[in-house]
């Protein structure tokens, strides 16, 4: 289970991974050090939302389809404050949850269709058996009549 997205968890992550005492200190000290800021932001996105960077897009694993889902993003230079970071993390999390929910709903829909098809097939075979059982006594009677002759 992923860590909950809130400022205390973000501060704790920055303190453990990069040694910054707060989010404000992180943004103040990395104002001109974009590579460190981008690296830290990408690791926070990975930690809190499950997205990883591959090529020019963010990728997350979809367990329902067993595939990687992609989101096109160029960079995170627009994140210059705690509020923007939280906004992007919430947005990415919400996007991922919607994608997973849509995948789950589609799989449930497909499984319901398969169950309906299976039930229809079973009903057809059951009807064939019932008609066969109705015919069997008639055949027995005919055989008994033939034996008596």
């Amino acid at each position: 289970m992923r860590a909950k997205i809130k400022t205390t968890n973000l501060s704790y992550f920055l303190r453990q991974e990069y040694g910054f005492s707060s989010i404000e200190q992180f943004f103040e000290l990395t104002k001109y050090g974009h590579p460190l800021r981008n690296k830290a932001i990408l690791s926070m996105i990975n930690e809190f939302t499950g997205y990883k960077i591959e090529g020019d897009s963010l990728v997350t694993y979809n367990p329902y389809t067993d595939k990687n889902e992609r989101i096109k993003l160029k960079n995170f230079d627009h994140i210059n404050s705690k509020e923007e970071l939280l906004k992007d993390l919430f947005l990415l999390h919400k996007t991922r949850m919607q994608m997973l929910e849509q995948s789950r709903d589609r799989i449930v829909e497909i499984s319901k269709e398969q169950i309906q098809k299976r039930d229809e097939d079973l009903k057809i075979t059951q009807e064939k058996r019932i008609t066969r059982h109705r015919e069997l006594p008639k055949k027995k009677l005919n055989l008994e009549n033939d034996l008596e002759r």
Side-chain angles (χ1 to χ4, degrees):
M1 189 168 158
R2 303 235 174 256
K4 193 171 187 176
I5 301 171
K6 55 185 186 178
T7 55
T8 55
N9 289 344
L10 289 172
S11 294
Y12 181 78
F13 180 79
L14 284 172
R15 186 171 46 250
Q16 293 297 315
E17 293 291 321
Y18 297 98
F20 295 106
S21 63
S22 68
I23 299 173
E24 290 79 15
Q25 182 190 24
F26 165 71
F27 282 110
E28 183 63 34
L29 294 177
T30 61
K31 186 185 291 186
Y32 302 109
H34 289 292
L36 177 61
R37 179 185 284 186
N38 286 338
K39 182 180 176 186
I41 288 174
L42 285 175
S43 63
M44 282 188 275
I45 287 172
N46 185 18
E47 180 70 25
F48 290 97
T49 63
Y51 282 97
K52 297 176 187 170
I53 191 85
E54 281 186 10
D56 63 343
S57 60
L58 288 174
V59 177
T60 188
Y61 176 71
N62 186 342
Y64 296 112
T65 60
D66 198 30
K67 296 180 181 176
N68 288 328
E69 304 288 335
R70 296 184 176 275
I71 293 179
K72 294 271 186 189
L73 280 176
K74 298 289 183 194
N75 55 28
F76 295 99
D77 292 337
H78 63 280
I79 299 176
N80 293 318
S81 68
K82 175 177 72 171
E83 291 78 20
E84 291 171 351
L85 176 64
L86 287 170
K87 179 182 171 185
D88 276 9
L89 288 174
F90 284 128
L91 183 65
L92 287 171
H93 176 72
K94 185 177 179 181
T95 303
R96 184 171 189 267
M97 290 300 114
Q98 285 177 345
M99 178 262 306
L100 291 175
E101 189 173 319
Q102 288 174 352
S103 296
R104 183 187 163 280
D105 290 345
R106 180 66 184 140
I107 288 174
V108 167
E109 182 181 312
I110 289 171
S111 66
K112 283 181 181 179
E113 290 173 2
Q114 289 175 346
I115 289 172
Q116 285 178 344
K117 288 178 183 177
R118 187 200 68 196
D119 289 346
E120 289 173 4
D121 291 344
L122 288 174
K123 187 176 180 181
I124 291 170
T125 57
Q126 187 179 22
E127 288 174 358
K128 287 180 181 179
R129 286 183 181 171
I130 290 173
T131 55
R132 193 177 329 144
H133 284 296
R134 287 182 186 157
E135 293 173 0
L136 280 176
K138 292 177 185 177
K139 288 183 180 179
K140 282 183 181 178
L141 285 176
N142 289 340
L143 285 175
E144 288 175 5
N145 289 339
D146 288 341
L147 289 176
E148 289 177 1
R149 287 187 198 169

